[in-house]
Amino acid sequence: MALNDNYKDHYKSSDIENWGNLGVTEVKFAVYRDGVQVSYLTFNGIGSDKNNWFSRDRLISAPYRDLLDVDLTIYYFSIEGYQRDRRAFYITGGPHIGCSLDVGWTAVIDTGGFSDYCQWPRATRKPIITYSRTSGMVNFNTDDAVRADFMAVFIKS
């Protein structure tokens, strides 16, 4: 399968279900726009599983300087994310106290629902993959929070 957004459904390798036997050492979460990688996060995959690799304590590298600051408060950093608003692969630097104050680095919204009351996650095509195009956290309501065409997860064994 080519790495582009021509495949209009979710694709997940069957290897994911065999994660524990793959000897995963590193995991990369990457987002793409117009076929080009525009952002990424790299994680330590040693001892991880298919659900816990996307976490702050496993983060190795990122283009976001502030995200690497251990003193910065992060409210959500997980694959599961903030389920009430259906935000997955979600990293946010603020509490949920109103749409205009939604700040963070990345969010993936795959279904409609409660999240649609905010303006920024609305779209006719799901999933919505939002990321910061700056070197740090952004307000998801601004032009610095942009939409990617697709995301990919790569594992290194």
Side-chain angles (χ1 to χ4, degrees):
M1 178 181 300
L3 191 58
N4 58 49
D5 69 342
N6 291 336
Y7 187 73
K8 300 301 179 197
D9 202 353
H10 294 297
Y11 170 78
K12 181 172 84 171
S13 169
S14 59
D15 286 343
I16 298 300
E17 298 309 318
N18 197 28
W19 189 285
N21 297 320
L22 296 175
V24 176
T25 59
E26 196 171 281
V27 185
K28 180 179 178 182
F29 169 85
V31 294
Y32 292 80
R33 188 174 172 122
D34 297 324
V36 176
Q37 179 184 296
V38 289
S39 190
Y40 71 93
L41 301 168
T42 306
F43 300 88
N44 176 353
I46 297 171
S48 67
D49 64 36
K50 68 179 185 176
N51 297 312
N52 71 6
W53 61 268
F54 190 89
S55 65
R56 186 179 196 182
D57 62 325
R58 293 185 172 278
L59 184 65
I60 297 171
S61 64
Y64 309 120
R65 291 186 308 262
D66 54 354
L67 189 57
L68 299 169
D69 179 353
V70 295
D71 295 324
L72 182 69
T73 299
I74 297 194
Y75 288 81
Y76 289 90
F77 195 135
S78 69
I79 291 173
E80 183 179 78
Y82 187 58
Q83 287 302 298
R84 185 192 80 166
D85 285 359
R86 295 188 173 77
R87 298 174 187 176
F89 290 94
Y90 190 43
I91 309 173
T92 182
H96 292 275
I97 54 176
C99 298
S100 65
L101 301 175
D102 282 346
V103 295
W105 296 267
T106 184
V108 176
I109 300 169
D110 190 30
T111 59
F114 200 70
S115 64
D116 288 343
Y117 75 90
C118 289
Q119 189 65 36
W120 69 266
R122 291 186 185 165
T124 56
R125 181 177 171 218
K126 305 283 179 151
I128 300 167
I129 303 162
T130 303
Y131 69 97
S132 167
R133 71 172 170 186
T134 74
S135 62
M137 176 172 55
V138 296
N139 184 306
F140 284 124
N141 296 284
T142 68
D143 290 341
D144 286 330
V146 294
R147 301 250 171 103
D149 299 323
F150 63 96
M151 60 169 268
V153 175
F154 302 96
I155 59 173
K156 180 178 180 181
S157 296

